[in-house]
Amino acid sequence: NRKGFNSSNCKAMNSIGYKETEMFLSGFIESVGDLEETIALNTRHLAKRQLTWLRNRPYVVWGRKNNISEIAHEYLLKVADL
């Protein structure tokens, strides 16, 4: 592509960090500090949307990080009973 990749012709460039950096380089975001704040804010928004989506899935099993083998074992037992 002679014009290069940008957010209008490449979906990956719409990822968090890329689109904000493009806005910074275009002058829409004025400072590196504002860039960092915008990326952090958009990351939090994405994480919230992901958690909301996951909470509405009945097959998602929530558990503690330090008990992953126990969680996997319980999940496999549950799936085997289906």
Side-chain angles (χ1 to χ4, degrees):
N1 185 341
R2 291 180 142 181
K3 295 181 182 179
F5 292 110
N6 59 50
S7 59
S8 64
N9 66 11
C10 181
K11 286 187 177 196
M13 297 298 275
N14 283 315
S15 301
I16 294 174
Y18 286 103
K19 63 183 176 181
E20 293 84 358
T21 302
E22 182 180 7
M23 291 172 63
F24 173 71
L25 295 173
S26 299
F28 291 105
I29 296 177
E30 294 183 8
S31 70
V32 173
D34 290 343
L35 173 63
E36 291 170 349
E37 288 178 24
T38 303
I39 291 172
L41 177 66
N42 289 340
T43 299
R44 284 193 299 275
H45 288 168
L46 175 61
K48 184 173 181 181
R49 287 193 306 272
Q50 289 174 329
L51 283 173
T52 299
W53 186 85
L54 286 169
R55 283 187 192 111
N56 292 316
R57 301 296 177 259
Y59 51 84
V60 174
V61 179
W62 295 93
R64 296 175 181 243
K65 286 189 259 182
N66 59 354
N67 268 341
I68 193 68
S69 61
E70 186 178 323
I71 293 166
H73 184 285
E74 289 175 14
Y75 174 77
L76 291 172
L77 289 175
K78 185 196 282 187
V79 171
D81 289 338
L82 296 178

Coordinates of all heavy atoms in Angstrom, one line a residue:
N1 N 0.8 -1.2 0.0 CA 0.0 0.0 0.0 C 0.9 1.2 0.0 O 1.7 1.5 0.9 CB -0.9 0.0 1.2 CG -1.9 1.1 1.3 OD1 -1.8 2.1 0.6 ND2 -2.9 0.9 2.1
R2 N 0.8 2.1 -1.0 CA 1.6 3.2 -1.1 C 1.3 4.3 -0.1 O 2.2 5.0 0.3 CB 1.4 3.9 -2.5 CG 2.0 3.1 -3.6 CD 1.8 3.8 -4.9 NE 2.9 3.5 -5.7 CZ 3.0 4.0 -6.9 NH1 2.1 4.8 -7.4 NH2 4.1 3.8 -7.6
K3 N 0.1 4.4 0.4 CA -0.3 5.4 1.3 C 0.1 5.0 2.8 O 0.1 5.8 3.7 CB -1.8 5.7 1.3 CG -2.2 6.3 -0.1 CD -3.7 6.6 -0.1 CE -4.1 7.1 -1.4 NZ -5.5 7.4 -1.5
G4 N 0.4 3.7 3.0 CA 0.7 3.2 4.3 C -0.5 2.8 5.0 O -1.6 3.0 4.6
F5 N -0.3 2.1 6.2 CA -1.4 1.6 7.0 C -1.9 2.7 7.9 O -1.1 3.5 8.4 CB -1.0 0.4 7.8 CG -0.7 -0.8 7.0 CD1 0.6 -1.2 6.8 CD2 -1.7 -1.5 6.3 CE1 0.9 -2.3 6.1 CE2 -1.4 -2.6 5.6 CZ -0.1 -3.0 5.4
N6 N -3.2 2.8 8.1 CA -3.8 3.7 9.0 C -5.1 3.1 9.5 O -5.5 2.1 9.1 CB -4.0 5.1 8.4 CG -4.9 5.1 7.2 OD1 -6.0 4.6 7.2 ND2 -4.4 5.7 6.1
S7 N -5.8 3.8 10.4 CA -7.0 3.2 11.1 C -8.1 3.1 10.1 O -9.0 2.3 10.4 CB -7.4 4.1 12.3 OG -7.6 5.4 11.9
S8 N -8.1 3.8 9.0 CA -9.2 3.6 8.0 C -9.0 2.5 7.1 O -10.0 2.0 6.5 CB -9.4 4.9 7.2 OG -8.2 5.2 6.4
N9 N -7.8 2.0 6.9 CA -7.6 0.8 6.0 C -7.0 -0.4 6.6 O -6.7 -1.4 5.9 CB -6.8 1.3 4.8 CG -5.3 1.6 5.2 OD1 -4.9 1.4 6.3 ND2 -4.6 2.2 4.2
C10 N -6.9 -0.4 8.0 CA -6.3 -1.6 8.6 C -6.9 -1.7 10.0 O -6.7 -0.9 10.9 CB -4.8 -1.4 8.7 SG -4.0 -2.8 9.5
K11 N -7.7 -2.8 10.2 CA -8.4 -2.9 11.5 C -7.5 -3.0 12.7 O -7.8 -2.6 13.8 CB -9.3 -4.2 11.4 CG -10.6 -4.0 10.6 CD -11.5 -5.2 10.8 CE -12.8 -4.9 10.0 NZ -13.8 -5.8 10.4
A12 N -6.3 -3.6 12.5 CA -5.4 -3.8 13.6 C -4.9 -2.4 14.1 O -4.6 -2.3 15.3 CB -4.2 -4.6 13.2
M13 N -4.9 -1.4 13.3 CA -4.5 -0.1 13.7 C -5.5 0.6 14.5 O -5.3 1.7 15.0 CB -4.2 0.8 12.5 CG -3.0 0.2 11.6 SD -1.5 0.2 12.6 CE -0.9 1.8 12.3
N14 N -6.7 0.0 14.7 CA -7.7 0.5 15.6 C -7.6 0.0 17.0 O -8.4 0.3 17.9 CB -9.1 0.2 15.1 CG -9.5 1.1 14.0 OD1 -9.3 2.3 14.1 ND2 -10.1 0.6 12.9
S15 N -6.5 -0.8 17.3 CA -6.3 -1.4 18.6 C -5.9 -0.3 19.5 O -5.3 0.7 19.1 CB -5.2 -2.4 18.5 OG -5.5 -3.5 17.6
I16 N -6.1 -0.6 20.8 CA -5.7 0.4 21.9 C -4.2 0.6 21.8 O -3.4 -0.3 21.7 CB -6.1 -0.1 23.3 CG1 -7.6 -0.1 23.4 CG2 -5.5 0.8 24.3 CD1 -8.2 -0.7 24.6
G17 N -3.8 1.9 21.8 CA -2.4 2.3 21.7 C -2.1 2.8 20.3 O -1.6 3.9 20.2
Y18 N -2.5 2.0 19.3 CA -2.2 2.5 17.9 C -3.1 3.7 17.6 O -2.6 4.7 17.1 CB -2.5 1.3 16.9 CG -1.5 0.2 16.9 CD1 -1.7 -1.0 17.5 CD2 -0.3 0.4 16.3 CE1 -0.8 -2.0 17.5 CE2 0.7 -0.6 16.3 CZ 0.4 -1.8 16.9 OH 1.4 -2.7 16.9
K19 N -4.4 3.6 17.8 CA -5.2 4.7 17.4 C -4.9 6.0 18.2 O -4.9 7.1 17.6 CB -6.7 4.3 17.5 CG -7.2 4.0 18.8 CD -8.7 3.6 18.8 CE -9.2 3.2 20.1 NZ -10.6 2.8 20.1
E20 N -4.6 5.8 19.4 CA -4.3 7.0 20.2 C -2.9 7.6 19.8 O -2.8 8.8 19.7 CB -4.2 6.6 21.7 CG -5.5 6.3 22.4 CD -5.9 4.8 22.2 OE1 -5.1 4.1 21.5 OE2 -6.9 4.4 22.6
T21 N -2.0 6.7 19.4 CA -0.7 7.2 18.9 C -0.9 8.0 17.6 O -0.3 9.0 17.4 CB 0.3 6.1 18.8 OG1 0.5 5.4 20.1 CG2 1.7 6.6 18.3
E22 N -1.7 7.4 16.8 CA -2.0 8.1 15.5 C -2.6 9.5 15.8 O -2.3 10.5 15.1 CB -3.0 7.3 14.7 CG -3.3 7.9 13.3 CD -4.3 7.0 12.5 OE1 -4.8 6.0 13.0 OE2 -4.5 7.4 11.3
M23 N -3.5 9.6 16.8 CA -4.1 10.8 17.1 C -3.1 11.8 17.7 O -3.1 13.0 17.4 CB -5.2 10.6 18.2 CG -6.5 9.9 17.6 SD -7.6 9.5 18.9 CE -8.1 11.1 19.5
F24 N -2.1 11.3 18.5 CA -1.0 12.1 19.0 C -0.1 12.6 17.8 O 0.2 13.8 17.8 CB -0.2 11.3 20.0 CG 1.1 11.9 20.4 CD1 1.0 13.0 21.3 CD2 2.3 11.5 20.0 CE1 2.2 13.6 21.8 CE2 3.5 12.1 20.4 CZ 3.4 13.2 21.3
L25 N 0.2 11.7 16.9 CA 1.1 12.2 15.8 C 0.4 13.1 14.9 O 1.0 13.9 14.2 CB 1.6 10.9 15.0 CG 2.5 10.0 15.8 CD1 2.8 8.7 15.0 CD2 3.8 10.7 16.2
S26 N -1.0 13.1 14.8 CA -1.8 14.0 14.0 C -2.0 15.3 14.7 O -2.6 16.2 14.1 CB -3.1 13.3 13.6 OG -2.8 12.2 12.9
G27 N -1.7 15.4 16.0 CA -1.9 16.6 16.7 C -3.2 16.7 17.5 O -3.5 17.7 18.1
F28 N -4.0 15.7 17.5 CA -5.3 15.7 18.2 C -5.1 15.5 19.7 O -5.9 15.9 20.5 CB -6.3 14.6 17.7 CG -6.8 14.9 16.3 CD1 -6.3 14.2 15.2 CD2 -7.7 15.9 16.1 CE1 -6.8 14.5 13.9 CE2 -8.2 16.2 14.8 CZ -7.7 15.5 13.7
I29 N -4.0 14.8 20.1 CA -3.6 14.7 21.5 C -2.3 15.5 21.6 O -1.4 15.3 20.9 CB -3.4 13.2 21.9 CG1 -4.7 12.4 21.8 CG2 -2.8 13.1 23.3 CD1 -4.6 10.9 22.0
E30 N -2.3 16.4 22.6 CA -1.2 17.4 22.6 C 0.1 16.9 23.3 O 1.1 17.4 22.9 CB -1.7 18.6 23.3 CG -2.8 19.3 22.5 CD -3.3 20.6 23.1 OE1 -2.7 21.1 24.1 OE2 -4.3 21.2 22.7
S31 N 0.0 16.1 24.3 CA 1.3 15.7 25.0 C 1.4 14.2 25.2 O 0.4 13.5 25.1 CB 1.3 16.5 26.4 OG 0.4 15.9 27.2
V32 N 2.6 13.8 25.5 CA 2.8 12.4 25.8 C 2.0 12.0 27.0 O 1.5 10.9 27.1 CB 4.3 12.1 26.0 CG1 4.5 10.7 26.4 CG2 5.1 12.4 24.7
G33 N 1.9 12.9 28.0 CA 1.1 12.6 29.2 C -0.3 12.4 28.9 O -1.0 11.4 29.4
D34 N -0.9 13.2 28.0 CA -2.3 13.0 27.6 C -2.4 11.7 26.8 O -3.5 11.0 26.9 CB -2.7 14.2 26.7 CG -2.9 15.5 27.5 OD1 -3.0 15.4 28.8 OD2 -3.0 16.6 26.9
L35 N -1.4 11.4 26.0 CA -1.4 10.1 25.3 C -1.5 9.0 26.2 O -2.3 8.0 26.1 CB -0.2 10.0 24.4 CG 0.0 8.7 23.7 CD1 -1.1 8.4 22.7 CD2 1.4 8.7 22.9
E36 N -0.6 9.0 27.3 CA -0.6 7.9 28.2 C -2.0 7.8 29.0 O -2.5 6.7 29.2 CB 0.5 8.1 29.2 CG 1.9 7.9 28.6 CD 3.0 8.3 29.5 OE1 2.7 9.0 30.6 OE2 4.2 8.0 29.2
E37 N -2.5 8.9 29.4 CA -3.8 8.9 30.1 C -4.9 8.4 29.2 O -5.8 7.6 29.6 CB -4.2 10.3 30.5 CG -3.3 10.8 31.7 CD -3.7 12.3 32.1 OE1 -4.8 12.7 31.8 OE2 -2.8 12.9 32.7
T38 N -4.9 8.8 27.9 CA -5.9 8.3 27.0 C -5.9 6.8 26.8 O -6.9 6.1 26.8 CB -5.8 9.0 25.6 OG1 -5.9 10.4 25.9 CG2 -6.9 8.6 24.7
I39 N -4.6 6.3 26.6 CA -4.4 4.8 26.4 C -4.9 4.1 27.7 O -5.6 3.1 27.6 CB -3.0 4.5 26.1 CG1 -2.6 5.0 24.7 CG2 -2.7 3.0 26.2 CD1 -1.2 4.9 24.3
A40 N -4.5 4.6 28.9 CA -4.9 3.9 30.1 C -6.5 3.9 30.3 O -7.1 2.9 30.6 CB -4.3 4.6 31.3
L41 N -7.1 5.1 29.9 CA -8.6 5.1 30.0 C -9.2 4.2 29.1 O -10.2 3.4 29.5 CB -9.0 6.6 29.8 CG -10.5 6.8 29.8 CD1 -11.1 6.6 31.2 CD2 -10.8 8.2 29.3
N42 N -8.8 4.1 27.8 CA -9.4 3.2 26.9 C -9.1 1.8 27.2 O -9.9 0.9 26.9 CB -8.9 3.6 25.5 CG -9.4 4.9 25.0 OD1 -10.5 5.4 25.4 ND2 -8.8 5.5 24.0
T43 N -8.0 1.5 27.8 CA -7.7 0.1 28.3 C -8.7 -0.3 29.4 O -9.2 -1.4 29.4 CB -6.2 0.0 28.8 OG1 -5.4 0.3 27.7 CG2 -5.9 -1.4 29.3
R44 N -8.9 0.6 30.3 CA -9.9 0.3 31.4 C -11.3 0.1 30.8 O -12.0 -0.8 31.2 CB -10.0 1.5 32.4 CG -8.8 1.5 33.4 CD -9.0 2.4 34.6 NE -9.1 3.8 34.2 CZ -8.2 4.7 33.9 NH1 -6.9 4.3 34.0 NH2 -8.4 5.9 33.6
H45 N -11.7 0.9 29.8 CA -13.0 0.8 29.2 C -13.1 -0.6 28.5 O -14.2 -1.3 28.6 CB -13.3 1.9 28.2 CG -13.5 3.2 28.8 ND1 -13.6 4.4 28.1 CD2 -13.8 3.6 30.1 CE1 -13.8 5.4 28.9 NE2 -14.0 4.9 30.1
L46 N -12.1 -1.0 27.8 CA -12.1 -2.3 27.2 C -12.2 -3.4 28.2 O -12.9 -4.4 28.0 CB -10.8 -2.5 26.3 CG -10.7 -3.9 25.7 CD1 -11.8 -4.2 24.7 CD2 -9.3 -4.0 25.0
A47 N -11.4 -3.3 29.3 CA -11.4 -4.4 30.3 C -12.8 -4.5 30.9 O -13.3 -5.6 31.2 CB -10.4 -4.1 31.4
K48 N -13.5 -3.4 31.1 CA -14.8 -3.4 31.7 C -15.8 -4.1 30.7 O -16.6 -4.9 31.1 CB -15.3 -2.0 32.0 CG -16.7 -1.9 32.7 CD -17.1 -0.6 33.1 CE -18.4 -0.7 33.8 NZ -18.9 0.6 34.2
R49 N -15.7 -3.7 29.4 CA -16.6 -4.4 28.4 C -16.3 -5.9 28.4 O -17.2 -6.7 28.2 CB -16.4 -3.8 27.0 CG -16.9 -2.4 26.9 CD -17.0 -1.9 25.4 NE -15.7 -2.0 24.7 CZ -14.8 -1.1 24.7 NH1 -15.0 0.1 25.4 NH2 -13.7 -1.2 24.0
Q50 N -15.0 -6.3 28.5 CA -14.7 -7.7 28.4 C -15.3 -8.4 29.6 O -15.8 -9.5 29.5 CB -13.2 -7.9 28.4 CG -12.6 -7.5 27.0 CD -11.1 -7.6 27.0 OE1 -10.5 -7.3 28.1 NE2 -10.5 -7.8 25.9
L51 N -15.2 -7.8 30.8 CA -15.7 -8.5 32.0 C -17.2 -8.6 31.9 O -17.8 -9.6 32.3 CB -15.3 -7.7 33.3 CG -13.9 -7.9 33.7 CD1 -13.5 -7.0 34.9 CD2 -13.7 -9.3 34.2
T52 N -17.9 -7.5 31.4 CA -19.3 -7.6 31.3 C -19.7 -8.7 30.3 O -20.6 -9.5 30.6 CB -19.9 -6.2 30.7 OG1 -19.5 -5.2 31.7 CG2 -21.4 -6.3 30.5
W53 N -19.0 -8.9 29.2 CA -19.3 -9.9 28.3 C -19.1 -11.3 28.9 O -19.9 -12.2 28.8 CB -18.4 -9.8 27.1 CG -18.7 -10.7 25.9 CD1 -19.6 -10.5 25.0 CD2 -18.0 -12.0 25.7 NE1 -19.6 -11.6 24.1 CE2 -18.6 -12.5 24.6 CE3 -17.1 -12.7 26.4 CZ2 -18.3 -13.8 24.1 CZ3 -16.7 -13.9 25.9 CH2 -17.3 -14.4 24.7
L54 N -18.0 -11.5 29.6 CA -17.7 -12.7 30.3 C -18.7 -13.1 31.4 O -19.0 -14.3 31.5 CB -16.3 -12.7 30.9 CG -15.1 -12.8 29.9 CD1 -13.8 -12.5 30.5 CD2 -15.1 -14.2 29.2
R55 N -19.2 -12.1 32.1 CA -20.1 -12.4 33.2 C -21.4 -13.0 32.6 O -22.2 -13.7 33.3 CB -20.4 -11.1 34.0 CG -19.3 -10.8 34.9 CD -19.7 -9.6 35.9 NE -18.6 -9.2 36.6 CZ -18.0 -8.0 36.4 NH1 -18.5 -7.1 35.5 NH2 -16.9 -7.7 37.1
N56 N -21.7 -12.7 31.4 CA -23.0 -13.1 30.8 C -22.8 -14.5 30.1 O -23.7 -14.9 29.4 CB -23.5 -12.1 29.8 CG -23.9 -10.8 30.5 OD1 -24.6 -10.9 31.5 ND2 -23.6 -9.7 30.0
R57 N -21.7 -15.1 30.2 CA -21.5 -16.4 29.6 C -21.5 -17.5 30.7 O -20.7 -17.5 31.7 CB -20.1 -16.5 29.0 CG -19.9 -15.4 27.9 CD -20.9 -15.7 26.7 NE -20.8 -14.7 25.7 CZ -21.6 -13.7 25.6 NH1 -22.6 -13.5 26.4 NH2 -21.5 -12.8 24.6
P58 N -22.5 -18.4 30.6 CA -22.7 -19.4 31.7 C -21.5 -20.4 31.8 O -21.3 -21.0 32.8 CB -24.0 -20.1 31.3 CG -24.1 -19.9 29.8 CD -23.5 -18.5 29.6
Y59 N -20.7 -20.6 30.7 CA -19.7 -21.6 30.7 C -18.4 -21.0 31.3 O -17.4 -21.7 31.4 CB -19.4 -22.1 29.3 CG -19.2 -21.0 28.2 CD1 -18.0 -20.4 28.0 CD2 -20.3 -20.5 27.5 CE1 -17.9 -19.3 27.1 CE2 -20.2 -19.5 26.5 CZ -18.9 -18.9 26.4 OH -18.8 -17.9 25.4
V60 N -18.3 -19.7 31.6 CA -17.1 -19.2 32.2 C -17.1 -19.5 33.7 O -18.0 -19.3 34.4 CB -17.1 -17.6 32.0 CG1 -15.9 -17.0 32.7 CG2 -17.0 -17.3 30.5
V61 N -16.0 -20.1 34.1 CA -15.8 -20.5 35.5 C -14.9 -19.5 36.2 O -13.7 -19.4 35.7 CB -15.3 -21.9 35.6 CG1 -15.1 -22.3 37.1 CG2 -16.2 -22.9 34.9
W62 N -15.3 -18.9 37.2 CA -14.5 -17.9 37.9 C -13.8 -18.6 39.1 O -14.5 -19.4 39.8 CB -15.3 -16.7 38.4 CG -15.9 -15.9 37.3 CD1 -17.1 -16.1 36.7 CD2 -15.3 -14.9 36.6 NE1 -17.3 -15.2 35.7 CE2 -16.2 -14.5 35.6 CE3 -14.0 -14.3 36.7 CZ2 -15.9 -13.4 34.7 CZ3 -13.7 -13.3 35.8 CH2 -14.6 -12.9 34.8
G63 N -12.6 -18.3 39.4 CA -11.9 -18.8 40.5 C -10.7 -18.0 40.9 O -10.3 -17.1 40.2
R64 N -10.0 -18.5 41.9 CA -8.7 -17.8 42.3 C -7.6 -18.3 41.4 O -7.5 -19.4 41.0 CB -8.4 -18.2 43.7 CG -9.5 -17.6 44.7 CD -9.2 -18.1 46.1 NE -10.2 -17.6 47.0 CZ -9.9 -16.8 48.0 NH1 -8.7 -16.4 48.2 NH2 -10.9 -16.4 48.7
K65 N -6.7 -17.4 41.2 CA -5.5 -17.7 40.4 C -4.6 -18.8 40.9 O -4.1 -19.6 40.2 CB -4.7 -16.4 40.2 CG -5.3 -15.4 39.2 CD -4.3 -14.3 39.0 CE -4.6 -13.1 39.8 NZ -3.7 -12.0 39.6
N66 N -4.5 -18.8 42.2 CA -3.6 -19.8 42.8 C -4.2 -21.2 42.9 O -3.6 -22.2 43.3 CB -3.1 -19.4 44.2 CG -4.3 -19.2 45.2 OD1 -5.5 -19.2 44.8 ND2 -4.0 -18.9 46.4
N67 N -5.5 -21.4 42.5 CA -6.1 -22.7 42.5 C -6.4 -23.2 41.1 O -7.4 -23.9 40.9 CB -7.4 -22.6 43.2 CG -7.3 -22.9 44.7 OD1 -6.3 -23.6 45.1 ND2 -8.3 -22.5 45.5
I68 N -5.6 -22.8 40.1 CA -6.0 -23.1 38.7 C -6.1 -24.6 38.4 O -7.0 -25.0 37.7 CB -5.0 -22.5 37.7 CG1 -5.5 -22.5 36.3 CG2 -3.6 -23.1 37.8 CD1 -6.7 -21.6 36.1
S69 N -5.3 -25.5 39.0 CA -5.4 -26.9 38.7 C -6.7 -27.4 39.3 O -7.4 -28.3 38.7 CB -4.2 -27.6 39.3 OG -4.1 -27.5 40.7
E70 N -7.1 -27.0 40.5 CA -8.3 -27.4 41.1 C -9.5 -26.9 40.3 O -10.5 -27.7 40.1 CB -8.4 -26.9 42.5 CG -9.6 -27.4 43.3 CD -9.6 -26.8 44.7 OE1 -8.6 -26.7 45.3 OE2 -10.8 -26.6 45.2
I71 N -9.5 -25.7 39.8 CA -10.5 -25.2 39.0 C -10.7 -26.0 37.7 O -11.8 -26.3 37.3 CB -10.3 -23.7 38.7 CG1 -10.4 -22.8 39.9 CG2 -11.2 -23.1 37.6 CD1 -9.8 -21.5 39.8
A72 N -9.5 -26.3 37.1 CA -9.5 -27.1 35.8 C -10.1 -28.4 36.1 O -11.0 -28.9 35.3 CB -8.1 -27.2 35.3
H73 N -9.8 -29.1 37.2 CA -10.3 -30.4 37.6 C -11.8 -30.3 37.7 O -12.5 -31.2 37.2 CB -9.6 -30.9 38.8 CG -10.0 -32.3 39.2 ND1 -11.2 -32.6 39.8 CD2 -9.3 -33.4 39.1 CE1 -11.3 -33.9 40.0 NE2 -10.1 -34.4 39.6
E74 N -12.3 -29.4 38.5 CA -13.7 -29.2 38.7 C -14.5 -29.0 37.4 O -15.6 -29.5 37.2 CB -14.0 -28.1 39.7 CG -13.6 -28.4 41.1 CD -13.8 -27.3 42.1 OE1 -14.5 -26.3 41.7 OE2 -13.3 -27.3 43.2
Y75 N -13.9 -28.1 36.6 CA -14.5 -27.8 35.3 C -14.6 -29.1 34.4 O -15.7 -29.4 33.8 CB -13.7 -26.7 34.5 CG -14.3 -26.5 33.1 CD1 -15.4 -25.8 32.9 CD2 -13.6 -27.0 32.0 CE1 -15.9 -25.5 31.7 CE2 -14.1 -26.8 30.8 CZ -15.2 -26.0 30.6 OH -15.7 -25.8 29.3
L76 N -13.5 -29.8 34.4 CA -13.6 -31.1 33.6 C -14.6 -32.1 34.1 O -15.2 -32.8 33.3 CB -12.1 -31.7 33.5 CG -11.1 -30.8 32.7 CD1 -9.7 -31.4 32.9 CD2 -11.5 -30.8 31.2
L77 N -14.7 -32.2 35.4 CA -15.7 -33.1 36.0 C -17.1 -32.6 35.6 O -18.0 -33.4 35.2 CB -15.6 -33.1 37.5 CG -14.4 -33.9 38.0 CD1 -14.3 -33.7 39.6 CD2 -14.4 -35.3 37.6
K78 N -17.3 -31.3 35.6 CA -18.6 -30.7 35.3 C -19.0 -31.0 33.8 O -20.1 -31.4 33.4 CB -18.7 -29.2 35.5 CG -20.0 -28.6 35.3 CD -20.0 -27.1 35.2 CE -19.9 -26.3 36.4 NZ -20.1 -24.9 36.2
V79 N -18.0 -30.8 32.9 CA -18.2 -31.0 31.5 C -18.4 -32.5 31.2 O -19.2 -32.8 30.4 CB -16.9 -30.5 30.7 CG1 -17.0 -30.9 29.2 CG2 -16.8 -29.0 30.8
A80 N -17.7 -33.4 31.9 CA -17.9 -34.8 31.7 C -19.3 -35.2 32.1 O -19.9 -36.2 31.5 CB -16.9 -35.6 32.5
D81 N -20.0 -34.5 33.0 CA -21.4 -34.9 33.4 C -22.4 -34.4 32.4 O -23.6 -34.8 32.4 CB -21.7 -34.3 34.8 CG -21.0 -35.0 35.9 OD1 -20.5 -36.2 35.6 OD2 -20.8 -34.5 37.0
L82 N -22.0 -33.5 31.5 CA -23.0 -32.9 30.5 C -23.3 -34.0 29.6 O -24.3 -34.4 29.1 CB -22.4 -31.7 29.8 CG -22.1 -30.5 30.6 CD1 -21.5 -29.4 29.8 CD2 -23.4 -30.0 31.3

